[in-house]
Amino acid sequence: MKIINIDNRSSLPKYKQIILSVETGIADKRLKRGDKLPSVNKVALEFSLSRDTVLLAYDELKKRGIIYSRLGKGYYIKSEEFSFEQRIFLLFDEFNSFKEDLYNSFLETMANNAQIDIFFHYFNIEVFKKLINENNGDYSKYIIMPTTLKGAAIAIKTLPKNDVYILDQTNDELHDYPSVHQNFVKDIYNGLLQGKEKLRKYRKLILIFPDFKQPPGMAEGFTNFCTENNFDFEIIPDFENRQLKHGEVYIIPNDRHLVSVMEQARDRHLKIGTDVGVISYNDTPLKKVVGHGITTISTDFTEMGRLLAEMILSQNKTQIENKSRLIERGSL
């Protein structure tokens, strides 16, 4: 059973990684009172460390009453009764109603088993890197919502790998990290497939897709669906200066664009769900009641929060695709 883990890519000092390894081993019940730790020489040799680095870690653990030493024998676990509170670093892209559902579900499932500090990077890579760098080594778990930021994976890989979880969006650079994420290619494809018969009454499908913030898989899944099912389609970066036309369906990831489409339809006396179709991304309570209801393609953010918390509590390290579905309402 491996007790000490050192991640050479982490900016956390090596002696702190040794301390954290022992604390985590006790918290996970892998180490018990009286268990012997690897010798100073063994740890130093295995990880190419100086003896002083290992001694610094073991001395700190001794001062805290967690381990003790026997002359000529080595180091042993003295106490399992110490304060090891899970401190969780939670980095979101932004806060909105569905992210609030995710956060509240995560808190409820964790049930006061950790201190959780939430931060936001607002799609700014410099803020993203700064928050990770400043908090590296201060938490037992790091939950990261990386989005499509270039350079995000490099910053994430400075954290202790065994303590990182990816949330909502992942990519090939992060494929070996545990995650609860959306499969945007599959989700939008399957959602449109569910509504295929209603979509047939329209002549053109239009995805409003600003590259900024939105995952590229969404555009890929949309294109795949339209091509394979013989729909005329278009992808536009925004709705500015666009004029609605009869027979168009708009697939809208951004709620600001949704408001613009709804306002123009009202002003031009176009009936949503008859003259023009609307499919929004991510369900909210408001979309149930606006007009005759807005059709959405949405993942279950409450479920996402629950799955993430259960993964952390059970020490599970897997990749989970969160469920998504089309919710049909009057706008289609």
Side-chain angles (χ1 to χ4, degrees):
M1 179 179 63
K2 196 170 182 63
I3 296 172
I4 308 297
N5 291 290
I6 298 293
D7 185 352
N8 289 319
R9 297 174 303 177
S10 173
S11 61
L12 184 66
K14 301 295 191 299
Y15 83 94
K16 285 191 176 182
Q17 292 191 47
I18 296 172
I19 293 171
L20 185 60
S21 293
V22 174
E23 290 179 334
T24 303
I26 295 172
D28 293 346
K29 308 298 183 184
R30 291 181 289 110
L31 286 174
K32 298 180 179 179
R33 184 176 179 180
D35 285 352
K36 187 177 182 180
L37 294 179
S39 70
V40 172
N41 287 337
K42 182 177 180 180
V43 176
L45 184 63
E46 181 177 356
F47 297 106
S48 300
L49 304 174
S50 71
R51 292 185 80 259
D52 287 344
T53 297
V54 184
L55 282 169
L56 181 62
Y58 281 8
D59 284 346
E60 177 64 25
L61 289 165
K62 282 176 65 178
K63 289 175 185 176
R64 292 173 53 192
I66 296 173
I67 69 173
Y68 68 97
S69 61
R70 289 179 180 170
L71 187 62
K73 298 282 189 181
Y75 293 84
Y76 299 82
I77 301 298
K78 181 178 181 180
S79 175
E80 299 174 53
E81 304 298 324
F82 72 100
S83 177
F84 181 80
E85 181 183 36
Q86 285 236 64
R87 299 186 67 233
I88 295 178
F89 173 85
L90 183 58
L91 181 56
F92 272 24
D93 46 23
E94 62 183 357
F95 207 61
N96 48 40
S97 59
F98 36 91
K99 300 289 173 58
E100 184 178 8
D101 289 342
L102 191 165
Y103 178 67
N104 287 335
S105 175
F106 179 72
L107 287 183
E108 182 179 347
T109 308
M110 289 300 296
N112 298 318
N113 283 311
Q115 173 190 322
I116 300 164
D117 296 335
I118 187 168
F119 302 84
F120 302 93
H121 58 72
Y122 299 107
F123 304 94
N124 185 316
I125 187 58
E126 295 307 318
V127 173
F128 184 92
K129 291 190 290 188
K130 183 174 184 289
L131 287 170
I132 286 180
N133 183 57
E134 288 180 348
N135 292 282
N136 195 344
D138 294 336
Y139 292 85
S140 52
K141 294 288 182 287
Y142 299 84
I143 300 168
I144 313 292
M145 195 177 283
T147 72
T148 57
L149 293 173
K150 291 183 179 178
I154 295 172
I156 289 169
K157 288 175 181 179
T158 65
L159 296 167
K161 185 175 181 180
N162 289 332
D163 300 327
V164 176
Y165 294 79
I166 304 301
L167 181 62
D168 194 35
Q169 294 188 39
T170 189
N171 55 58
D172 290 342
E173 292 182 280
L174 302 170
H175 73 277
D176 55 344
Y177 285 86
S179 63
V180 182
H181 61 273
Q182 301 184 62
N183 184 327
F184 291 94
V185 176
K186 186 166 73 175
D187 290 349
I188 195 167
Y189 185 99
N190 289 340
L192 294 174
L193 193 62
Q194 284 178 256
K196 180 178 174 180
E197 294 310 310
K198 287 192 175 181
L199 289 170
R200 285 292 183 200
K201 70 180 182 180
Y202 299 95
R203 63 175 182 82
K204 189 174 186 179
L205 278 62
I206 300 165
L207 173 66
I208 305 177
F209 188 77
D211 290 337
F212 179 61
K213 295 187 180 182
Q214 303 303 336
M218 195 179 289
E220 182 183 345
F222 172 76
T223 301
N224 291 345
F225 170 81
C226 293
T227 302
E228 293 174 17
N229 293 279
N230 299 312
F231 281 94
D232 187 19
F233 71 96
E234 184 179 0
I235 299 176
I236 60 176
D238 57 55
F239 190 69
E240 188 177 359
N241 301 320
R242 182 87 181 189
Q243 189 172 77
L244 291 175
K245 296 178 182 178
H246 281 267
E248 294 178 333
V249 182
Y250 282 84
I251 293 86
I252 312 172
N254 186 298
D255 283 353
R256 288 189 178 88
H257 290 144
L258 174 62
V259 171
S260 298
V261 169
M262 300 292 287
E263 285 180 335
Q264 190 182 129
R266 179 199 61 197
D267 295 343
R268 299 190 62 227
H269 305 290
L270 295 171
K271 187 175 180 181
I272 297 292
T274 302
D275 303 323
V276 176
V278 169
I279 300 176
S280 180
Y281 220 91
N282 294 324
D283 203 37
T284 64
L286 190 60
K287 292 174 187 177
K288 299 176 184 178
V289 298
V290 170
H292 296 291
I294 303 297
T295 296
T296 61
I297 296 173
S298 186
T299 195
D300 187 336
F301 286 97
T302 298
E303 177 75 355
M304 186 180 287
R306 184 186 66 79
L307 287 172
L308 178 66
E310 289 180 351
M311 184 182 291
I312 289 172
L313 291 171
S314 65
Q315 301 289 320
N316 188 11
K317 299 290 182 75
T318 57
Q319 291 84 31
I320 300 174
E321 288 184 6
N322 205 50
K323 297 176 183 177
S324 177
R325 66 188 178 102
L326 179 76
I327 303 171
E328 288 192 30
R329 300 190 181 108
S331 69
L332 194 61

